[in-house]
Amino acid sequence: MNSAYNGAAGARPFGCYDREQLGEIRSRIEQIPAVAQEYARQRQLSGEFAAREAAAPLHRLGVFRVEPFVFKVPAGAAYLKLAIQVQGRGIARIGGVRLTHSQLGLPVVLLNGGFGQGLAGWAQEPGSGSTIQLEQLAGGGSGLQPSGVTPSGGAAKENVQCVRISNPTEEVRTTLGYEEHLPVQAGDYYGIQTELSLEAPLAGGGVCTGVIFLDAAGRLLGPVQLSPLFNRRTLTNWAYLLEAAGTDANLYMVSGEDLYAGLAKRKLQYILADMRQGMDIFRRDGWHDDDTYGAVHIGRGLAAVSVIYDQIAGSGVFADRETAALLADFRYIAAMMMDTAYYRFDLTTFPDEKGGKRSNWNADRATGLGVYALLFPHEPESGDYLEHACSVIDWQLAEVVDPDGAWPENVRYHGAVLHRYFLFFALLKRLKGVDYFRHPKVKAMYRFLMGIVTAKDRIQSGPAGASVLLTPAVGDANVQEQWFRLLGYAALFYAGEDPQLAGEMIWTWRNGGAPVQDTGAFPLPLVPLLYPQPELPERQPALRSAHYPGIGYVIFRSGAENLQNYAIFEASPLTYHAHHDEGHFSIWADGVPLTLDAGTGGYYNGDRHWYVSGAAHNTVQFKDEAGGFADGPLQSVCREVRFSEELDYARSLIPDVRAGEYERHFLYIKAGFDAYLVWDRIGDGADSVWNLHTLSTEAEVAAQTIDAACLGGMRLGIHIAEPALPVITTGKGAAGGAYPLAAQQHFRVHAHAGEDYVVLLHPRAAGAPALLLEQLECEDAGDGVRLYKLCRADGSWCVAALNGSGQARRVRIPGGTPLRLLGTAETAMADFTEDRARKAGTTEPGSEIRGNVESEPVIRGNAASGILNLEPGTIQIAVPL
């Protein structure tokens, strides 16, 4: 034990907790099962690293890097062969090779890409005096991804088998060739990801990957294509050790054993030294793919290492000179974070995606600096750093976070920024009495996270098989990200001041699987042990259909407590971190995902072609000059949103340069039908294709219909009313989300220039009857007007009237049945204002989900004579009176 635990006078105080609170922390771990489980995980991770540290020095624990090589397959190619070339004097290790079809996001199977079967299937061409041999390494794990993200806990893999290549002279070249001919699609992009490790740069050379292409007859096509040379040392990156260092510090916190403080100390010394070296290179050379040394990740890391040092500083494991050296490292890193030659935090606009005041990078940089300043209050610059950090957050809350509380990038970065804000705010309140949790925009950020939740997904089940709420994948995000842990962390800070909000946060957290572990890049292992309060009372929030215009999400809900059926439509004013997904929709029915956003892959590892493309989303693409289908725009204009108990509707202008005018109408017809109608009104332009992805195992495709067998006993019926007799092609594409299916079925409906798409999507349980769709004759309608009748098995029906002309039309529905219009004259949610929210009883921005149907009286139209008046470019849904 040490003075921090025995209460001796003069002991260094902790920043995140008091000495008196250590007993309470131990009690939390013993009494709260979720916290106990997380602590047990941390104890196991710490032990695994300790064992590996005993077998190898720190700089050898995580020595592999994933080096991507993306290339386009030339015309006429049917196969490729790949090889790894090692040129120059020295030693190189190859941990494995992966091949990805970049435009589909799908792996190409390599029978022995990871050397699990030794060198079977690999041709060896050693240079003169060179050696090629298999080698077992203690540790190593998966290689650090080029985006800088090491999976949480991924470092614990033991006894990695790799290939060791040793060249004796600078002139020697050794080649390791994969013998199998791998099928490829001409004109498409592929990516090879090679795990590499170099103890030192190779004298006179480097490592590269080469590919050659063959035609269907096996004849060679052109010369070999080579990747850029990789030739730098691959010592353990600081990020590889961060979580383990945090778990060591936590074990010391709980047990008081100096052993754990010593383990944390050694990692901390290594981490800070590596940060400094990498930041120097980053400042000198500018941004590059290995962005763990950029301001965003260093900001996250600086907060984490400041907490770790604070936990063990009073343990007695540091000699005076070691303390002085660490403090100097901290000062150097903090000063660099204020250097505009390292990061341009002074710019109000984006010079590129890695600069400016508005960026999530700046949020992480500032909060990391702020945490450092709070935990090192006696450092001479701490006061200025803290003032600067608060000024950045104040500006971002005022100028970046929108009125609904959304961080205007996507769900992933909303969560990431809110995550880094949290610890800074918690320490500010604890140490300075400054309460940012009361800030209206901060409250709104938490409300936004709750307001966008999906249906209770019964495929992505949580503990005990219960269905769980998810955050949707829109743009650069995946549905499996555990952002609800942030609600569990922060609810404590609202329990007294705003119990309604705290209760809603706890309800959402519990129904989102009650995650506790801090996951993702650069976790803070202390946070899940200190802050979650599962015993707080819960209050179910009112979830309804909603529109978030600042970030571009339109959400449709129905079913029991609005937790069964869900769709999200993308109508975005944004360009930052955006995908080519304007007009995309994702749908859950009865808690089952039927069609999903593809999500996101690695930033630089070669699969990004797929995830950002229009083809990966439920969008329309138009042909380009080369005859392929081009990606659409990165932003669109939401022209109209209406919600009612019977019909939800969104209309979006998608300004694709290859279409004269293009509007997408997306309707959720409730009123007993529970079906979606999509009308793409296209004025001239090029030939086009309508993309639809279904999370399905098989499908029946007919002339005008597709019936997809989805997960959970659900089916999705697709009736293509327009174009008539379309060409339908099928394929597959990757989907994130940790679902049983790693790929969705991909259907493409083709149309000629100027043709519209009218598609009915009907989710239903397997065995339930499908809706029938038929076109009605309407002689007096004129060109551009179409009528469709949707019929249920029990005889109930509705009519969809589309006016694709440029003139107002008066249309008589055949049969003369008196009609009632659904959703007529509802509140246009694009015009919903804070003033109207106050009239509806809302007292602060963001406290009510925007788009509630209760916010204004519902006015319904009717056409008692069976005559509809259609404005140009509009659609109406009518049911019998």
Side-chain angles (χ1 to χ4, degrees):
M1 294 292 180
N2 60 76
S3 59
Y5 284 82
N6 62 26
R12 185 184 189 278
F14 297 106
C16 298
Y17 45 84
D18 298 326
R19 287 191 295 277
E20 292 74 14
Q21 291 175 306
L22 289 171
E24 299 174 16
I25 294 170
R26 297 188 188 103
S27 295
R28 283 177 55 80
I29 293 172
E30 293 174 356
Q31 297 171 10
I32 302 175
V35 177
Q37 182 178 1
E38 168 60 12
Y39 182 69
R41 185 196 69 84
Q42 294 189 17
R43 188 169 60 235
Q44 179 181 355
L45 181 62
S46 174
E48 290 171 346
F49 265 86
R52 294 177 54 235
E53 288 177 55
L58 287 179
H59 72 272
R60 293 291 302 158
L61 292 187
V63 295
F64 285 97
R65 301 290 184 271
V66 176
E67 184 70 2
F69 173 39
V70 181
F71 52 87
K72 186 176 183 180
V73 177
Y79 301 97
L80 69 75
K81 292 187 68 175
L82 65 88
I84 304 166
Q85 296 182 5
V86 179
Q87 169 74 47
R89 175 168 48 84
I91 296 172
R93 290 178 173 87
I94 316 299
V97 179
R98 299 188 297 272
L99 177 64
T100 303
H101 190 305
S102 299
Q103 285 178 239
L104 296 178
L106 297 174
V108 177
V109 176
L110 302 183
L111 297 178
N112 189 28
F115 307 114
Q117 302 169 34
L119 286 168
W122 290 88
Q124 304 174 47
E125 300 179 18
S128 177
S130 299
T131 60
I132 302 175
Q133 62 190 67
L134 292 172
E135 184 177 52
Q136 295 285 332
L137 292 182
S142 298
L144 188 75
Q145 298 297 314
S147 61
V149 176
T150 302
S152 179
K157 184 179 177 181
E158 296 181 1
N159 298 323
V160 176
Q161 179 163 273
C162 64
V163 175
R164 181 182 186 274
I165 297 175
S166 176
N167 287 340
T169 63
E170 295 184 10
E171 296 76 19
V172 168
R173 174 184 297 171
T174 295
T175 301
L176 192 63
Y178 193 73
E179 295 179 315
E180 182 184 0
H181 289 197
L182 300 166
V184 291
Q185 183 66 44
D188 286 359
Y189 284 90
Y190 288 75
I192 297 173
Q193 298 90 40
T194 307
E195 289 194 51
L196 299 172
S197 174
L198 299 181
E199 295 176 346
L202 297 171
V207 183
C208 67
T209 302
V211 292
I212 57 172
F213 299 99
L214 311 169
D215 65 15
R219 294 185 295 262
L220 183 65
L221 293 176
V224 63
Q225 290 190 25
L226 296 175
S227 70
L229 282 174
F230 180 93
N231 199 27
R232 55 189 174 89
R233 297 180 74 189
T234 59
L235 304 181
T236 301
N237 184 280
W238 68 269
Y240 192 86
L241 300 172
L242 188 66
E243 184 181 20
T247 64
D248 293 337
N250 288 345
L251 264 66
Y252 170 71
M253 171 187 70
V254 173
S255 70
E257 297 293 334
D258 289 342
L259 165 67
Y260 298 114
L263 290 172
K265 164 194 156 181
R266 287 193 290 275
K267 294 184 182 72
L268 194 59
Q269 290 170 321
Y270 183 94
I271 287 170
L272 292 172
D274 187 62
M275 279 183 172
R276 286 188 57 163
Q277 296 176 47
M279 292 175 77
D280 286 340
I281 296 171
F282 203 96
R283 183 184 185 278
R284 183 194 69 200
D285 299 340
W287 177 82
H288 49 86
D289 287 357
D290 192 4
D291 58 7
T292 49
Y293 301 107
V296 61
H297 292 156
I298 294 294
R300 298 171 182 179
L302 179 59
V305 293
S306 296
V307 168
I308 293 166
Y309 179 77
D310 182 73
Q311 288 181 275
I312 66 172
S315 65
V317 298
F318 290 104
D320 289 345
R321 58 179 177 78
E322 291 174 325
T323 298
L326 278 178
L327 293 178
D329 287 340
F330 273 110
R331 290 186 200 109
Y332 188 91
I333 292 167
M336 181 83 80
M337 297 289 270
M338 292 294 294
D339 186 347
T340 55
Y342 172 70
Y343 181 80
R344 293 300 306 273
F345 59 82
D346 56 326
L347 299 176
T348 57
T349 57
F350 294 106
D352 55 41
E353 68 171 7
K354 300 298 187 287
K357 295 173 70 174
R358 296 182 177 274
S359 176
N360 67 83
W361 279 51
N362 198 33
D364 289 359
R365 180 196 66 87
T367 54
L369 199 58
V371 169
Y372 165 75
L374 288 167
L375 295 181
F376 292 79
H378 301 301
E379 288 294 308
E381 303 296 330
S382 288
D384 291 341
Y385 290 158
L386 184 58
E387 182 179 357
H388 170 75
C390 289
S391 71
V392 169
I393 305 309
D394 290 340
W395 189 88
Q396 289 186 334
L397 290 174
E399 302 294 333
V400 182
V401 178
D402 75 19
D404 290 310
W407 180 269
E409 293 183 57
N410 50 58
V411 181
R412 180 181 186 180
Y413 286 94
H414 180 92
V417 169
L418 190 57
H419 184 199
R420 303 304 161 175
Y421 279 178
F422 169 75
L423 180 62
F424 181 47
F425 294 167
L427 292 178
L428 267 175
K429 184 173 182 179
R430 173 180 172 80
L431 301 174
K432 296 293 185 180
V434 177
D435 192 352
Y436 269 86
F437 290 106
R438 289 175 175 262
H439 194 293
K441 283 286 187 74
V442 176
K443 287 187 174 184
M445 291 182 78
Y446 286 111
R447 288 195 175 99
F448 172 79
L449 190 61
M450 294 187 290
I452 63 173
V453 297
T454 68
K456 280 191 173 181
D457 190 310
R458 58 187 175 93
I459 307 300
Q460 191 93 259
S461 58
S467 300
V468 294
L469 300 170
L470 305 172
T471 49
V474 182
D476 204 36
N478 289 316
V479 295
Q480 78 270 21
E481 292 159 351
Q482 298 290 318
W483 295 123
F484 297 130
R485 70 185 188 277
L486 306 182
L487 305 176
Y489 300 162
L492 169 68
F493 293 89
Y494 294 106
E497 182 262 332
D498 192 339
Q500 177 68 33
L501 176 57
E504 292 181 0
M505 293 167 76
I506 291 295
W507 182 92
T508 308
W509 171 72
R510 286 177 179 160
N511 285 273
V516 170
Q517 178 187 348
D518 195 28
T519 56
F522 321 110
L524 294 160
L526 179 62
V527 168
L529 301 184
L530 293 191
Y531 296 106
Q533 298 285 345
E535 71 278 6
L536 290 175
E538 66 178 44
R539 301 186 184 187
Q540 183 171 347
L543 295 172
R544 304 180 179 92
S545 297
H547 181 210
Y548 295 96
I551 199 168
Y553 300 169
V554 187
I555 294 173
F556 310 90
R557 291 188 170 98
S558 73
E561 299 180 320
N562 282 324
L563 293 173
Q564 285 178 282
N565 304 319
Y566 176 97
I568 184 166
F569 178 80
E570 169 73 353
S572 173
L574 306 175
T575 58
Y576 187 49
H577 267 304
H579 291 195
H580 296 276
D581 61 353
E582 299 309 305
H584 167 84
F585 54 87
S586 295
I587 296 172
W588 278 255
D590 195 22
V592 175
L594 305 179
T595 174
L596 293 176
D597 188 299
T600 190
Y603 281 175
Y604 319 111
N605 66 355
D607 63 6
R608 196 147 170 81
H609 281 85
W610 169 249
Y611 292 100
V612 303
S613 72
H617 301 88
N618 297 329
T619 63
V620 173
Q621 291 177 284
F622 296 88
K623 274 193 175 180
D624 59 19
E625 295 75 12
F629 291 105
D631 287 329
L634 289 173
Q635 57 185 346
S636 59
V637 179
C638 189
R639 286 183 160 175
E640 186 178 6
V641 175
R642 296 198 306 268
F643 300 131
S644 75
E645 293 297 329
E646 296 182 308
L647 178 73
D648 291 343
Y649 169 62
R651 175 168 62 100
S652 186
L653 173 68
I654 302 175
D656 198 302
V657 296
R658 294 174 175 82
E661 183 181 29
Y662 169 34
E663 274 191 338
R664 169 160 276 192
H665 301 251
F666 187 83
L667 299 92
Y668 180 24
I669 306 171
K670 294 179 268 190
F673 293 90
D674 279 319
Y676 299 87
L677 188 66
V678 184
W679 174 30
D680 291 295
R681 185 177 67 81
I682 299 169
D684 298 321
D687 292 351
S688 62
V689 65
W690 198 89
N691 295 288
L692 178 67
H693 301 265
T694 60
L695 198 63
S696 53
T697 54
E698 58 184 17
E700 300 173 7
V701 181
Q704 301 278 156
T705 61
I706 304 168
D707 192 37
C710 299
L711 302 174
M714 295 294 292
R715 300 189 76 89
L716 180 62
I718 303 110
H719 192 121
I720 305 156
E722 300 179 31
L725 299 175
V727 174
I728 303 172
T729 56
T730 63
K732 287 186 177 181
Y739 284 108
L741 303 177
Q744 296 191 94
Q745 289 191 286
H746 182 195
F747 303 99
R748 311 191 88 182
V749 181
H750 299 258
H752 297 298
E755 288 186 317
D756 288 1
Y757 295 95
V758 178
V759 181
L760 177 70
L761 303 170
H762 180 215
R764 69 190 193 281
L771 289 174
L772 298 179
L773 179 69
E774 61 175 312
Q775 187 165 5
L776 299 178
E777 296 294 333
C778 189
E779 296 179 356
D780 62 340
D783 292 341
V785 175
R786 293 91 83 195
L787 300 178
Y788 292 98
K789 185 176 183 180
L790 284 70
C791 297
R792 292 195 330 224
D794 64 3
S796 301
W797 57 272
C798 67
V799 170
L802 293 70
N803 182 6
S805 74
Q807 301 176 350
R809 295 291 174 84
R810 182 179 172 86
V811 180
R812 183 183 301 276
I813 304 301
T817 303
L819 301 174
R820 177 172 60 88
L821 299 180
L822 301 184
T824 302
E826 299 291 350
T827 305
M829 297 317 303
D831 299 326
F832 192 92
T833 64
E834 290 181 16
D835 179 64
R836 293 166 81 176
R838 285 191 292 272
K839 291 179 181 178
T842 300
T843 57
E844 77 181 52
S847 65
E848 182 71 39
I849 295 174
R850 292 166 73 100
N852 285 341
V853 296
E854 289 81 3
S855 59
E856 288 193 359
V858 173
I859 304 172
R860 303 199 189 283
N862 64 69
S865 62
I867 296 175
L868 301 180
N869 294 308
L870 303 177
E871 294 300 317
T874 62
I875 181 171
Q876 291 185 359
I877 307 296
V879 297
L881 275 173

